Each structure stands twice: as C-alpha cells, then as structure tokens.
Amino acid sequence: MTVYTLQTGAAPLLISIPHLGTTIPEDLLAGMQRATALRLDDTDWHLDRLYAFARRMGASILTPSHSRYVIDLNRPPDDRNLYPGKNTTGLLPLDTFDEAPLYLAGREPDDAEKQRRRDLYWRPYHDALQGELQRLRGRHERVLLWEAHSIRSVVPRLFEGRLPDFNFGTADEASALPGLAQALADEAARAGYSAVANGRFKGGYITRHYGRPDQGIHAVQLELAQINYMDEAPPYAYDPARADRLAPVLERCLELALNTLAKDSR
C-alpha cells in the first residue's frame, strides 16, 4: 500500500503537504459516520496544484495518500496538545473542525488501533521526511522545510473571526532564522494580502520537531486561508483566477526564504 509520494529535487527545499490526502480505507469507514467522513471537509485541498510551480524551483515535494481523518501526520506520536488551552483535533481525530462526530457510537479507535495507524501511516511519512531532509542537508549548508497547509477562513472552533490570508509559523522563531516569519508576512502584505507571523498557527509537530536551525534545517509553516484560491463549501472547487493571483506570491515567499537563508552568515 502506498501511503506517501516523494518527488525529489536538487534545491535546498522540501515542501511537505501532510493534510493533502483523501483516502479513507473501507475497513475504517465501516466504523465511521460515513457521509461525514467522506465529505473530507478538513482536507488541505488542491495544495499540490497551487504549489505546482515549486517543481520548476527544484523543490522536493512530499504528500500523503490518506486523509487526516485516518491519522493526522502533523501531530506528535504521543498525541499531546501543541496548543495548550486551545480546542483542537488529535492524532486520530474523533470529530471534524465543526465538531461533527466521525465515528459511530462505540466504534472510536482504541490504543491498539492508534498504534496500528502510527505504524502503518504516520511512521512511513516521517521516515521519508527525515530521510529527504538528511539527503538535502548532505548537499546544502542550509535546507528549508516548508510546511504547506490551508484551512477555511472561518472555523469558530479554532479561531475567532476570519483568519488572515497568510499565517506563517516558526514556533515563535525557534524553528527557523529569527525574523524570517515576519519578513515573509511583510512580503505577502506587499502583495495585498493580510498576513501574520507566529499568530494562531505557530507551526505544528513537523515544524517544531524538524526545524533545527543550529543543524542547518529551517522549518516554516504556512497556513493559507482557502478563500484565496478555492471555494470553501463542497465540492471545494479550485478557483483558477484566485489561484493564479496567489501562486506568484507564494513563489516570491519561497524565493525570499531561500535567499535569506543563503545570505545568512550566522
């Protein structure tokens, strides 16, 4: 069973899109609220298409096949809450962002099932991510890990009001060069988008765990408001006009990050 796809490149850039997957195995669906699960409401839709330009940049791109409803690849394996005091979903989500139950009563996954899914889905993705970072680090003094995410612009469970268009996170500057997140937010703002650095989304497990600036690996998470490139209601259609305006800004942000890291003398 294929649980991820890795396209390798030569640039010092790995783009990870851990919430792109849409597959839910039939044996899991048997215990789930099938109609709710198959809407896949909380997918980071179309990011592979939006970031298609990154192949021209020589980026490596890592994507999963399975939905975050199967397992959330951006949560720690021990399932601790990365945002203490905030309401969020776990390693094996039991409900959607809108708090609709994902499982039939009494069919929620137990500890053994959590371990099974960690072994089957979570570990292979992270092994691939770690391996590709090591390969790139062997060729470049500094490597950029770009965590690509997107979310509906209004999700009351997770944040108040409308989310800014660009939300850059570097774990409060621990996962990447200090000042980089704000420089990226400024770049997005110059293009007419609202942007924030280390706001509600500071970076999930992948950003925090793999971002090691002292070892030459700088991790940045970007949480995009989906309204800027797609429809936020089913069937979650891609909007080429909005996306065509957004993609060049993303490309400039990636180029800015790479150039900033290349010039840094620390």
Side-chain angles (χ1 to χ4, degrees), residues 107-125:
R107 301 291 297 275
E108 296 86 356
D110 58 16
D111 288 343
E113 175 62 11
K114 182 180 288 190
Q115 184 61 53
R116 187 186 76 87
R117 295 193 207 176
R118 273 196 296 256
D119 293 342
L120 193 58
Y121 305 105
W122 192 97
R123 178 54 57 196
Y125 189 89

Side-chain angles (χ1 to χ4, degrees), residues 10-254:
L13 172 61
L14 171 58
I15 299 176
S16 162
I17 317 179
H19 296 149
L20 182 70
T22 55
T23 298
I24 303 177
E26 192 61 38
D27 62 325
L28 298 188
L29 282 170
M32 301 179 83
Q33 301 281 358
R34 189 181 185 93
T36 300
L38 288 178
R39 282 203 310 271
L40 300 164
D41 291 331
D42 304 326
T43 302
D44 291 10
W45 295 102
H46 310 299
L47 287 183
D48 52 343
R49 184 174 178 182
L50 186 64
Y51 279 90
F53 65 85
R55 294 298 295 156
R56 302 193 309 272
M57 299 177 66
S60 296
I61 302 175
L62 178 64
T63 60
S65 55
H66 289 73
S67 169
R68 70 187 301 160
Y69 292 162
V70 174
I71 194 165
D72 192 329
L73 300 169
N74 200 32
R75 297 291 185 271
D78 63 3
D79 205 15
R80 71 185 184 279
N81 190 338
L82 295 174
Y83 293 94
K86 299 287 187 180
N87 189 345
T88 187
T89 54
L91 182 68
L92 269 60
L94 300 179
D95 57 5
T96 70
F97 290 166
D98 293 330
E99 301 186 270
L102 283 168
Y103 289 88
L104 301 170
R107 301 291 297 275
E108 296 86 356
D110 58 16
D111 288 343
E113 175 62 11
K114 182 180 288 190
Q115 184 61 53
R116 187 186 76 87
R117 295 193 207 176
R118 273 196 296 256
D119 293 342
L120 193 58
Y121 305 105
W122 192 97
R123 178 54 57 196
Y125 189 89
H126 284 264
D127 286 348
L129 195 158
Q130 179 66 49
E132 184 61 9
L133 286 175
Q134 291 176 348
R135 185 186 76 85
L136 293 173
R137 184 63 182 83
R139 299 185 175 194
H140 303 279
E141 184 178 359
R142 297 179 187 86
V143 173
L144 175 63
L145 169 59
W146 188 271
E147 268 290 286
H149 293 261
S150 71
I151 193 170
R152 284 174 286 149
S153 58
V154 178
V155 183
R157 175 183 184 175
L158 301 181
F159 48 83
E160 296 182 1
R162 185 196 184 283
L163 190 71
D165 300 320
F166 283 71
N167 301 265
F168 294 98
T170 54
D172 287 327
E173 310 231 299
S175 71
L177 186 70
L180 179 58
Q182 187 58 56
L184 291 167
D186 292 344
E187 179 68 25
R190 281 192 289 271
Y193 290 96
S194 57
V196 65
N198 289 302
R200 171 61 180 87
F201 294 100
K202 301 177 184 294
Y205 174 77
I206 292 175
T207 300
R208 301 183 198 198
H209 181 73
Y210 294 101
R212 295 288 182 268
D214 60 331
Q215 299 174 24
I217 298 175
H218 298 255
V220 175
Q221 176 175 299
L222 172 56
E223 189 82 62
L224 286 169
Q226 291 177 339
I227 196 170
N228 292 294
Y229 72 95
M230 58 171 278
D231 295 338
E232 294 189 333
Y236 302 114
Y238 191 78
D239 186 312
R242 281 181 277 168
D244 287 349
R245 175 175 178 251
L246 180 64
V249 182
L250 290 174
E251 186 168 4
R252 289 200 297 274
C253 285
L254 281 168

